[in-house]
Amino acid sequence: MIEPLPAPVSSARSGRFLVLAVVFVCAACGLVYELELVALASYLIGDSVTQASVVLSVMVFAMGVGSLLAKRLRCRAAVGFGLIEAALALVGGCSAIVLYATFAWFGGSRYALVAFSLAIGILIGAEIPLLMTLIQRVSRRAAGDASGTVADLFAADYVGALVGGLAFPFLLLPQLGQLTSALLTGSVNAVAGGALVLLLFGRDLSPRARWALLGANALVLLVLALTTVMVDDFEQAARRAVYGGQVRVAVQTRVQEIVLTGKAGAPLDLFLDGRLRINGLDESRYHAALVGPALDAGPHGRVLILGGGDGLAAREVLRHRDVRSVTLVECDPGLLQLARDDPRLAALNAHALRDPRLRPVTGDAFGWLRGEGRLSGPYDVVVSDLPDPGITASTKLYSQEFYGLARRVLAPGGRLVVHAGPVAGRPRTFWTVASTVRAAGLTTFAYRATGRSAGFTAGPDRALGSAKSPHDWGFVLAARPAPHPFAAGAAPDRPGAEDRAGAGTWAAAGVRLPAGSLALTPPSEAAGYPPSTLVHPRYAD
């Protein structure tokens, strides 16, 4: 026997609409949990492709398990759905803060990531069978049969997933950050699930079940609200655990998290999404080695810097008085603003962003080279000061297609210099960069620079600068094969021959490697490294 609908809902049609609305909300919340796990795992663990694969595959498997387990609850679909939504709101809402806590205080979050993927997947998978039972119950009263209810339910589910998927990167993450976004999503999830059961099926429940459901949802909302109130204090404590007590600035922009450390005269360090980007002890060595040889090799009136939103590469370029103009292309406007306005960082970059010769441009380097870059060239020097090639998100900026675009904006005799990651730590990655630059039709010369030992480095990249990880940087300097002077003596028909150009040829070209730098001869196997392309990336975290 099917009980009539309770009084708070005026008709079976409005009851059906309420069920579909809750399906929409729950689907949006579920996708936000999923994206939040992927985003936070990529930030904390690295290798976004692997982390996304782990989260998605585990969650899909767990959803199947949840659907099977939900069979046992179909006879009590209303109260079962209400309790599952309360549990999902608690687990999903607290997942980000627990993941970050395990990373900050225990040094890793891989096991926690798998556990949350399983738990959230099981709870999401149990939703659909129970919701189908509930909407069929309402639809039979409205139309006499259940025709069309499955299509309506899945349509609401897919549209909700679309809204949640778009809201996370464009609204929740930039406005609230990862932790608060997850907590708010959990609160919405709990309210939606509890409201559906109590309003539409409340009279079907025993008094004991109603009070249990009310108590569970009230407890979940209380936990989420208290956690939201304390989230700022938690973030500060977690940052101290990760970065030490020297955090000066912590900003979440639309692109990344920016952390500046170094108080009371301590060296200034810059972390982008948890990765050490600037080490204040020896950043001057890095930037001198990046910029100096390329500018020494010929005319440098017009310079293009790709990346380098911290302004430090621009500082080195602008020290040359015969530089007439510098275009700096940076994807994160928040980093540009910090480099211009933060007193410590602005002093470190010698107020380069306020120099009238510099024109900052906000945009993706790849897209900018394809569009505006073609019209604004040619440039005498292109400096590629981009994130490490081992970061999965950066692979397109170290591809043959990218260097082909950079080649198009080079003036005759112009030079391209690329930061290619550490040589000692990841030689295969470094020589793959050199191979990729050559594949774009450029003559290359490889060199490395060594830095001071920074000792133990705070932050997620804790191994950087330790005795187990040699502290060095690798660079590839490249130019069109002719008429550039350091192409003399190279034999482009033999793989890697141009890397073997002698130091005397460089001296003749007027190129001086900074102190602590060394020209590199590629190992015999380096000639066999295939170039990295957009469809066949050769780098990995």
Side-chain angles (χ1 to χ4, degrees), residues 41-129:
S42 301
Y43 163 52
L44 298 179
I45 304 173
D47 191 356
S48 57
V49 173
T50 299
Q51 305 316 320
S53 300
V54 168
V55 171
L56 296 178
S57 58
V58 170
M59 286 191 73
V60 170
F61 164 76
M63 288 168 65
V65 174
S67 295
L68 291 174
L69 295 177
K71 287 182 177 181
R72 299 178 179 272
L73 298 175
R74 293 187 68 182
C75 58
R76 300 189 177 189
V79 69
F81 176 76
L83 292 175
I84 282 174
E85 289 308 296
L88 180 59
L90 181 63
V91 174
C94 294
S95 59
I97 202 166
V98 174
L99 277 175
Y100 197 70
T102 57
F103 175 80
W105 281 282
F106 298 101
S109 51
R110 296 180 186 274
Y111 297 117
L113 174 68
V114 174
F116 275 112
S117 300
L118 274 171
I120 293 174
I122 288 173
L123 294 170
I124 291 176
E127 287 178 333
I128 296 299

Side-chain angles (χ1 to χ4, degrees), residues 427-428 431-432 435 438 495-496 500 521-530:
R428 183 178 185 86
W431 291 112
T432 298
S435 172
R438 283 196 299 272
R500 296 181 173 86
T521 299
S524 57
E525 66 270 18
Y529 290 167

Side-chain angles (χ1 to χ4, degrees), residues 208-294:
R208 188 179 200 180
R210 280 199 300 271
W211 282 111
L213 189 57
L214 277 170
N217 279 276
L219 180 60
V220 168
L221 289 174
L222 179 62
V223 170
L224 294 176
L226 290 175
T227 307
T228 303
V229 170
M230 297 186 296
V231 75
D232 290 338
D233 293 334
F234 169 82
E235 287 187 20
Q236 293 178 12
R239 285 196 184 102
R240 284 195 297 270
V242 174
Y243 298 103
Q246 294 290 317
V247 176
R248 290 185 57 253
V249 177
V251 179
Q252 177 68 58
T253 71
R254 290 180 176 273
V255 178
Q256 60 199 340
E257 183 189 52
I258 305 173
V259 175
L260 279 175
T261 66
K263 295 180 179 179
L268 184 71
D269 292 343
L270 171 67
F271 293 85
L272 301 180
D273 273 348
R275 295 179 179 273
L276 183 65
R277 191 72 177 92
I278 295 174
N279 185 327
L281 288 175
D282 54 10
E283 64 80 17
S284 59
R285 295 190 180 205
Y286 165 81
H287 289 100
L290 172 69
V291 171

Side-chain angles (χ1 to χ4, degrees), residues 151-498:
D152 291 341
L153 186 145
F154 279 105
D157 185 74
Y158 295 148
V159 175
L162 171 67
V163 173
L166 294 177
F168 179 73
F170 296 113
L171 178 63
L172 296 176
L173 188 60
Q175 297 297 324
L176 301 176
Q178 290 176 326
L179 305 187
T180 305
S181 293
L183 293 166
L184 177 63
T185 303
S187 301
V188 172
N189 204 162
V191 170
L196 172 67
V197 175
L198 293 173
L199 290 177
L200 196 58
F201 301 100
R203 291 186 178 181
D204 298 344
L205 306 178
S206 66
R208 188 179 200 180
R210 280 199 300 271
W211 282 111
L213 189 57
L214 277 170
N217 279 276
L219 180 60
V220 168
L221 289 174
L222 179 62
V223 170
L224 294 176
L226 290 175
T227 307
T228 303
V229 170
M230 297 186 296
V231 75
D232 290 338
D233 293 334
F234 169 82
E235 287 187 20
Q236 293 178 12
R239 285 196 184 102
R240 284 195 297 270
V242 174
Y243 298 103
Q246 294 290 317
V247 176
R248 290 185 57 253
V249 177
V251 179
Q252 177 68 58
T253 71
R254 290 180 176 273
V255 178
Q256 60 199 340
E257 183 189 52
I258 305 173
V259 175
L260 279 175
T261 66
K263 295 180 179 179
L268 184 71
D269 292 343
L270 171 67
F271 293 85
L272 301 180
D273 273 348
R275 295 179 179 273
L276 183 65
R277 191 72 177 92
I278 295 174
N279 185 327
L281 288 175
D282 54 10
E283 64 80 17
S284 59
R285 295 190 180 205
Y286 165 81
H287 289 100
L290 172 69
V291 171
L295 268 68
D296 287 343
H300 45 260
R302 302 193 74 226
V303 179
L304 170 65
I305 302 175
L306 302 173
D310 49 60
L312 299 176
R315 176 197 66 196
E316 296 297 318
V317 171
L318 292 168
R319 283 176 174 170
H320 294 72
R321 295 185 177 181
D322 44 354
V323 170
R324 299 189 306 274
S325 69
V326 179
T327 302
L328 190 155
V329 181
E330 166 61 45
C331 65
D332 189 354
L335 181 57
L336 289 172
Q337 182 178 353
L338 196 66
R340 183 180 60 250
D341 298 336
D342 180 77
R344 288 282 307 276
L345 185 54
L348 190 63
N349 65 39
H351 302 279
L353 273 77
R354 297 185 183 276
D355 193 300
R357 292 175 292 171
L358 185 138
R359 181 174 73 97
V361 176
T362 301
D364 171 69
F366 196 104
W368 188 87
L369 286 173
R370 292 185 69 185
E372 183 183 344
R374 300 179 62 182
L375 303 177
S376 62
Y379 293 95
D380 300 310
V381 179
V382 176
V383 178
S384 181
D385 186 22
L386 296 164
D388 192 283
I391 302 173
T392 305
S394 300
T395 52
K396 79 171 184 178
L397 303 178
Y398 287 85
S399 65
Q400 181 179 340
E401 293 86 348
F402 180 75
Y403 296 129
L405 294 173
R407 184 179 187 270
R408 289 195 307 183
V409 303
L410 281 175
R415 286 84 62 208
L416 165 70
V417 63
V418 177
H419 162 235
V423 181
R426 295 199 307 274
R428 183 178 185 86
T429 296
F430 175 82
W431 291 112
T432 298
V433 174
S435 172
T436 304
V437 175
R438 283 196 299 272
L442 297 169
T443 300
T444 61
F445 187 92
Y447 64 100
R448 66 179 288 191
T450 56
R452 305 167 187 167
S453 176
F456 179 82
T457 298
D461 286 350
R462 295 167 195 246
L464 190 62
S466 68
K468 296 181 181 179
S469 177
H471 195 56
D472 75 333
W473 310 281
F475 304 94
V476 176
L477 180 57
R480 295 176 184 270
H484 194 70
F486 70 75
D493 57 323
R494 288 180 298 147
E498 55 268 41

